[in-house]
Each structure stands twice: as structure tokens, then as C-alpha cells.
Amino acid sequence: MSRSLTAFLVVVCLLGFAPTSRAQQVSAGVKAGLTSAHLPGVTDAIEVPVDEEGRWSGTAGVFVTVRLNDLVAFQPEALFVAKGATVSSSAASYSLKFDARYLEIPLFARYGRSNRP
């Protein structure tokens, strides 16, 4: 018998007698919420009086929680975020509109027990 076949059989035998561990628990879900944005740095730099209007917009995305053991879990998320604001001045007759849409990917490590199902 060749050495590679012998090593393969040894590994298969050892894995067959290894104690079974709990499978990783994976859960997924959907998130939604609101965001509010302002431009405070821009209004501080302008010397004429300005009207700043923040914008409310939505956030939506998905998440997956992978429990690594009883205490630790890993939770990556993918969130679509829209933010923006408008700055205008009647004295200088200008208007500045800021609009941003982007994908946020936060990676969370969770520690602790959960009583939720």
C-alpha cells in the first residue's frame, strides 16, 4: 500500500471516531431604518447667513449571524444607505445640494449568551 493511501485511511478512521460537535447555527434577517444627515462643516466655513436643511432618508439591508460557539458569534451585514443635505442662502443667491448613496458593510463580533430563540 502506498504512503498516501495509508495516510488517507488513517485520517478517515480518526475522523470517524472524533466526537461529534454541534453544527454552527446560522441565522439571517433583514434590517431597515432611517438616517438623518447635516453639513455642519460647510455651514461653519461660509461667512454669510445660510439655511441648512438636513435630509431624512432610508437604510435597508441584510445580515447573517454565524454562531461560532455558545458565547461568540460573527455577524456581517450589507446595508444600502442614502444621505444628503441642502444648504442655501438668499443673501448670496446660491444653493448647495449634497446627495450620497452607498453600500456599507459592517463586520460585527458578538459576545454573550442570548435568550432569544
Side-chain angles (χ1 to χ4, degrees):
M1 223 186 306
S2 69
R3 286 186 179 194
S4 60
L5 182 60
T6 305
F8 174 74
L9 291 174
V10 168
V11 169
V12 169
C13 290
L14 289 175
L15 289 176
F17 291 112
T20 58
S21 62
R22 288 185 356 169
Q24 290 182 347
Q25 297 174 356
V26 178
S27 62
V30 177
K31 283 189 168 187
L34 294 174
T35 59
S36 175
H38 295 279
L39 295 172
V42 173
T43 57
D44 293 342
I46 300 172
E47 296 177 3
V48 294
V50 295
D51 297 324
E52 179 187 0
E53 181 182 328
R55 187 172 311 147
W56 289 88
S57 51
T59 300
V62 295
F63 68 92
V64 175
T65 304
V66 179
R67 297 207 56 67
L68 303 175
N69 59 31
D70 288 340
L71 293 175
V72 179
F74 175 64
Q75 180 176 326
E77 298 180 356
L79 302 171
F80 175 76
V81 181
K83 293 184 179 180
T86 303
V87 176
S88 61
S89 173
S90 58
S93 69
Y94 70 88
S95 178
L96 170 68
K97 184 177 179 180
F98 173 72
D99 191 18
R101 291 179 175 90
Y102 54 93
L103 182 67
E104 256 182 18
I105 303 178
L107 305 173
F108 295 109
R110 297 173 57 177
Y111 179 79
R113 294 185 188 271
S114 174
N115 293 333
R116 293 183 290 168

